[in-house]
């Protein structure tokens, strides 16, 4: 029967080995895959400003990108493909409350520049290779 | 209670209960908003409620863990806490930082990264606060007469939790990198080191309640936390499927996260087996209920419901939908909410000297809250599956789908009311216990 010291070895050994593998895989992903899949060369200052606006207004508190965030408002990874740039800019700059299908969004009333930064961020996000996410609706008629 | 300084735990538990009550209020606001009744939108927009709801959860659970540590460590180490005054200062600053963060969320002051919304200046205060806490725990352990496995596993969990907060504070320009390291905090907390803390508290409770030999319990504790790390560390991969990293994680994350329920299954079998094996029947039935309850509900909520959408083929469709909220609610409740309730129920009679061991209020609180939460989970699940089908398979627009599933949020709010009545009874009994008393000290 298993003794306490064997159990401890299982715990410590298992932890060290899996953590080492985890660090190795992480290092590989971050140094090889991420620059390619995210097209890091397109990560301009404007995109970074857009990311900052995305965060400082907690857009993730309602929306998702890359499927991450909250589930109150639409997924925005491919929003530029889906809606087009003028539509997205209109929503971002609107000072009047916006409530598609009755669901309200805070009227941020962003400036032209800020809206451009956010659009640049969404465009960059939309081009990241997400291993097939979001899926194509295969039952669509 | 053997040591006077263990009383500090009471105030951490009281803070815990207060924040939980507040968390529930914000949950209701969001439930109604999902139903279409968003009259409070101008004062409490959804993103504010969401950040407040999840952050209060984290703080009340952490406050419960800290209280548990302040109770367990002196008893296990056989030594008074090294500095009680500092522990109270730590409590008050924890509450102040938490309140400041939450007020900030109402004024668009946050970092806007899911679960890690606390703005940067407050992050440093959190670090300072947690360091104070760890200093007190480690010093008490160091000066103590004994270092038991239970206390070491608990302390290890707390130390790792503090260390893992740091990757979340690195700034990245690249959203993928940002998300990658955000999961080092969030995933490695809840599916890693928090389970160590839970395991430590559970082992302590089982030793006290069942009277089974410490050596046996602690041996299985090692096995369970071993399973946790072996599956959970590489299981982080299930958050890396679709965020812009390589497909290696689809395989690694898929396999290892599918093993994650084993740790929780181990925990459930372990608790039930020790209860059956134990000859001593502790009179505190309420604590026993919560102890066995947390082991079983965490297996269902965190283990099985996690498994339900962890495979990449399934997660491709469920990722970023209400299915996640379904799993999240029962997982957090079963694993971390209920373990905090278990330690509170066990320690309150010991700290106050009032032996409310087997009251109707206590029983009713247990069943109402659990049935309520189970109902909420089902409501989220039905809404989530309908959303996945209509939006991701049939391709109907988001807003139209949300209108279709509003009815499930009516059921959700009904079940949440049941849950809340259970919590209300629990808090009522907490208050009825009164303050801790020196007369409750035993040799």
């Amino acid at each position: 029967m298993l003794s306490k010291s064997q159990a401890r070895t299982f715990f410590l050994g298992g932890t060290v080995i899996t953590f080492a593998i985890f660090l190795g895989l992480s290092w590989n992903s971050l140094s090889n895959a991420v620059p390619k899949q995210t097209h890091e060369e397109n990560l301009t200052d404007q995109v970074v400003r857009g990311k900052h606006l995305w965060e400082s207004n907690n857009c993730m508190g309602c929306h998702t990108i890359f499927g991450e965030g909250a589930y109150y408002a639409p997924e925005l990874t491919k929003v530029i493909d889906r809606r087009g740039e003028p539509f997205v800019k209109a929503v971002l700059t609107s000072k009047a409350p916006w409530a598609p299908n009755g669901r309200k969004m805070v009227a941020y009333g962003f400036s032209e520049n800020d809206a451009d930064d956010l659009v640049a961020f969404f465009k960059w996000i939309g081009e990241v290779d997400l291993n097939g996410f979001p899926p194509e609706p295969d039952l669509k008629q | 209670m053997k040591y006077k300084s263990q009383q500090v735990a009471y105030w951490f538990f009281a803070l815990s209960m207060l924040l939980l009550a507040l968390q529930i209020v914000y949950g209701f606001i969001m439930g109604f908003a999902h139903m279409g009744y968003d009259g409070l939108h101008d004062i409490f927009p959804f993103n504010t409620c969401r950040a407040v709801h999840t952050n209060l959860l984290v703080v009340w659970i952490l406050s419960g863990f800290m209280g548990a540590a302040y109770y367990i460590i002196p008893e296990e180490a056989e030594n008074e806490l090294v500095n009680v005054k500092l522990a109270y200062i730590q409590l008050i600053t924890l509450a102040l930082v938490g309140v400041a963060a939450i007020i900030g969320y109402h004024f668009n002051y946050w970092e806007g990264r899911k679960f890690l919304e606390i703005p940067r200046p407050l992050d440093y205060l959190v670090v300072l606060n947690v360091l104070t806490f760890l200093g007190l725990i480690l010093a008490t352990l160091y000066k103590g007469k004994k270092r038991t496995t239970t206390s070491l596993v608990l302390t290890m969990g707390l130390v790792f939790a503090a260390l893992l907060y740091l990757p979340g504070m690195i700034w990245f320009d690249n959203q993928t990198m940002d998300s990658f390291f955000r999961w080092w905090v969030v995933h490695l907390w809840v599916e890693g080191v928090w389970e160590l803390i839970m395991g430590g508290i559970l082992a302590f409770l089982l030793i006290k309640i069942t009277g089974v030999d410490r050596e046996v319990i602690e041996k299985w504790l090692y096995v369970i936390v071993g399973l946790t790390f072996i599956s959970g560390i590489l299981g982080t991969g299930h958050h890396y499927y679709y965020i812009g990293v390589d497909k290696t994680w689809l395989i690694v994350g898929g396999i290892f996260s599918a093993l994650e329920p084993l740790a929780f299954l181990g925990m459930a079998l372990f608790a039930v087996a020790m209860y059956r094996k134990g000859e001593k029947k502790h009179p505190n039935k309420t604590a026993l209920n919560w102890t066995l309850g947390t082991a079983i509900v965490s297996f269902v909520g965190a283990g099985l419901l996690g498994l339900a959408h962890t495979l990449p083929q399934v997660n491709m469709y469920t990722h970023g939908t209400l299915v996640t909220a379904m799993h999240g609610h029962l997982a957090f409740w079963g694993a971390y909410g209920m373990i905090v309730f278990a330690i509170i129920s066990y320690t309150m009679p010991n700290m106050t000297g009032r032996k409310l061991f087997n009251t109707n209020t206590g029983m009713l609180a247990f069943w109402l809250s659990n049935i309520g939460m189970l109902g909420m989970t089902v409501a989220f699940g039905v809404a989530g599956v309908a959303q996945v089908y209509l939006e991701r398979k049939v391709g109907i627009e988001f807003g139209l789908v949300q209108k279709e599933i509003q009815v499930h949020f009516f059921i959700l709010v009904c079940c949440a009311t049941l849950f809340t009545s259970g919590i209300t009874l629990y808090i009522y009994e907490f208050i009825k216990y009164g303050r801790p008393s020196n007369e409750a000290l035993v040799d």
Side-chain angles (χ1 to χ4, degrees), chain B residues 166-199:
Chain B
L166 304 177
M169 289 172 62
I170 312 171
W171 169 262
F172 293 103
D173 289 340
N174 187 325
Q175 179 68 26
T176 297
M177 301 274 267
D178 196 309
S179 188
F180 195 91
F181 283 104
R182 198 168 52 79
W183 290 116
W184 279 37
V185 189
V186 180
H187 175 93
L188 290 178
W189 265 18
V190 301
E191 282 152 85
V193 296
W194 278 26
E195 282 182 58
L196 242 65
I197 300 172
M198 181 196 174

Side-chain angles (χ1 to χ4, degrees), chain B residues 141-422:
Chain B
L141 204 58
Y142 180 73
K143 287 195 176 164
K145 296 188 192 76
K146 281 190 185 154
R147 270 160 236 159
T148 62
T149 300
T150 302
S151 62
L152 288 179
V153 168
L154 177 62
T155 309
M156 208 168 154
L158 295 164
V159 171
F160 283 159
L163 282 177
L164 282 169
Y165 191 68
L166 304 177
M169 289 172 62
I170 312 171
W171 169 262
F172 293 103
D173 289 340
N174 187 325
Q175 179 68 26
T176 297
M177 301 274 267
D178 196 309
S179 188
F180 195 91
F181 283 104
R182 198 168 52 79
W183 290 116
W184 279 37
V185 189
V186 180
H187 175 93
L188 290 178
W189 265 18
V190 301
E191 282 152 85
V193 296
W194 278 26
E195 282 182 58
L196 242 65
I197 300 172
M198 181 196 174
I201 299 174
L202 190 66
F204 176 80
L205 286 168
L206 289 172
I207 291 168
K208 298 291 171 184
I209 292 174
T210 67
V212 172
D213 183 45
R214 174 184 287 277
E215 288 299 303
V216 177
I217 289 184
E218 291 180 339
K219 176 174 82 183
W220 292 111
L221 176 61
Y222 272 135
V223 174
I224 287 164
V225 293
L227 285 173
T228 298
F229 274 166
I230 289 171
S231 61
I233 293 174
L234 288 169
T236 314
H238 67 190
H239 296 288
Y240 296 163
Y241 296 158
Y242 308 119
I243 64 164
V245 295
D246 47 302
K247 288 184 174 160
T248 323
W249 294 105
L250 296 181
I251 301 163
V252 175
I255 292 171
F256 283 87
S257 68
L259 296 175
E260 280 183 36
L262 282 181
F264 285 106
L265 178 64
M267 205 116 56
L269 292 176
F270 164 67
V272 173
M274 292 305 127
Y275 167 66
R276 288 198 165 164
K277 193 178 156 89
E279 281 160 16
K280 183 175 93 181
K281 288 284 174 266
H282 196 283
N284 192 340
K285 285 275 174 301
T286 311
L288 177 70
N289 270 343
W290 287 106
T291 304
L292 294 181
T294 188
I296 293 164
V297 180
S298 64
F299 170 60
V300 179
L304 289 182
L305 292 182
L307 182 67
H309 61 134
T310 199
L311 294 180
Q313 298 88 332
V314 179
N315 197 254
M316 168 71 95
Y317 290 94
T318 59
H319 181 48
T321 67
L322 290 161
V323 170
T324 313
M326 166 217 39
H327 160 57
H329 277 78
L330 199 66
F332 267 94
W333 168 247
Y336 303 123
M338 288 178 76
I339 192 74
V340 170
F341 275 47
I343 189 76
I344 292 177
S345 293
Y346 171 73
T347 55
M348 286 301 274
N350 304 349
M351 289 192 291
T352 61
R354 290 182 192 79
K355 309 227 174 300
L356 307 176
F357 282 152
N358 195 8
T359 61
N360 286 334
T361 319
M363 270 319 125
L364 217 56
F366 177 82
W367 288 108
L368 284 175
S369 55
N370 273 293
I371 293 169
M373 183 52 87
L374 212 57
M376 286 165 68
T377 307
V378 173
F380 268 125
V382 176
V385 171
Q387 182 194 5
V388 167
Y389 185 77
L390 295 175
E391 194 185 320
R392 298 272 167 89
K393 297 291 277 186
V394 184
I396 300 175
E397 205 267 323
F398 178 89
L400 296 173
V401 174
Q402 292 293 310
K403 274 207 141 35
E404 285 299 312
I405 60 176
Q406 272 179 358
V407 60
H408 304 302
F409 284 89
F410 172 67
I411 306 294
L412 180 89
V413 166
C414 291
C415 295
T417 309
L418 213 59
F419 173 76
T420 309
S421 58

Side-chain angles (χ1 to χ4, degrees), chain A residues 1-4 7-8 10-12 14-15 18-19 21-23 25-30 33-35 37-38 40 43 47-48 51-52 54-62 64-75 82-83 100-108 121 124-125 128-141, chain B residues 33-34 38 41 45-47 50-51 108 110-114 117 149 156 171-184 188 196 215 218-220 222-223 225-227 229-230 233-234 236 239-250 252 256 316-317 319-322 324-325 389 391-395 397-400 402-403:
Chain A
M1 194 56 188
L2 185 80
S3 71
K4 190 171 169 183
R8 186 170 51 223
F10 168 73
F11 164 57
L12 293 173
T15 303
T18 46
F19 197 65
I21 299 172
F22 179 68
L23 287 181
L25 288 174
S26 294
W27 186 77
N28 175 52
S29 295
L30 297 176
V34 172
Q37 282 183 248
T38 64
E40 228 167 35
L43 195 66
V47 174
V48 176
K51 176 174 182 277
H52 186 69
W54 169 264
E55 286 170 356
S56 57
N57 290 291
N58 193 20
C59 305
M60 251 189 178
C62 295
T64 47
I65 42 168
F66 297 170
E68 294 180 343
Y71 320 119
Y72 192 65
E75 159 62 51
R82 203 169 63 236
R83 298 291 197 184
N101 294 301
R103 188 156 286 181
K104 290 180 195 137
M105 175 170 159
V106 176
Y108 286 100
F121 174 66
W124 178 82
I125 287 282
V128 175
D129 173 4
L130 297 178
N131 299 336
F133 182 85
E136 278 300 315
D138 48 359
L139 300 178
K140 195 169 186 173
Q141 288 173 352
Chain B
H34 264 286
D38 58 353
H41 170 82
F46 193 89
N47 58 350
R50 160 70 187 237
N108 211 20
W110 40 26
E111 226 170 66
R113 296 154 69 229
K114 189 180 179 183
E117 288 91 347
T149 300
M156 208 168 154
W171 169 262
F172 293 103
D173 289 340
N174 187 325
Q175 179 68 26
T176 297
M177 301 274 267
D178 196 309
S179 188
F180 195 91
F181 283 104
R182 198 168 52 79
W183 290 116
W184 279 37
L188 290 178
L196 242 65
E215 288 299 303
E218 291 180 339
K219 176 174 82 183
W220 292 111
Y222 272 135
V223 174
V225 293
L227 285 173
F229 274 166
I230 289 171
I233 293 174
L234 288 169
T236 314
H239 296 288
Y240 296 163
Y241 296 158
Y242 308 119
I243 64 164
V245 295
D246 47 302
K247 288 184 174 160
T248 323
W249 294 105
L250 296 181
V252 175
F256 283 87
M316 168 71 95
Y317 290 94
H319 181 48
T321 67
L322 290 161
T324 313
Y389 185 77
E391 194 185 320
R392 298 272 167 89
K393 297 291 277 186
V394 184
E397 205 267 323
F398 178 89
L400 296 173
Q402 292 293 310
K403 274 207 141 35

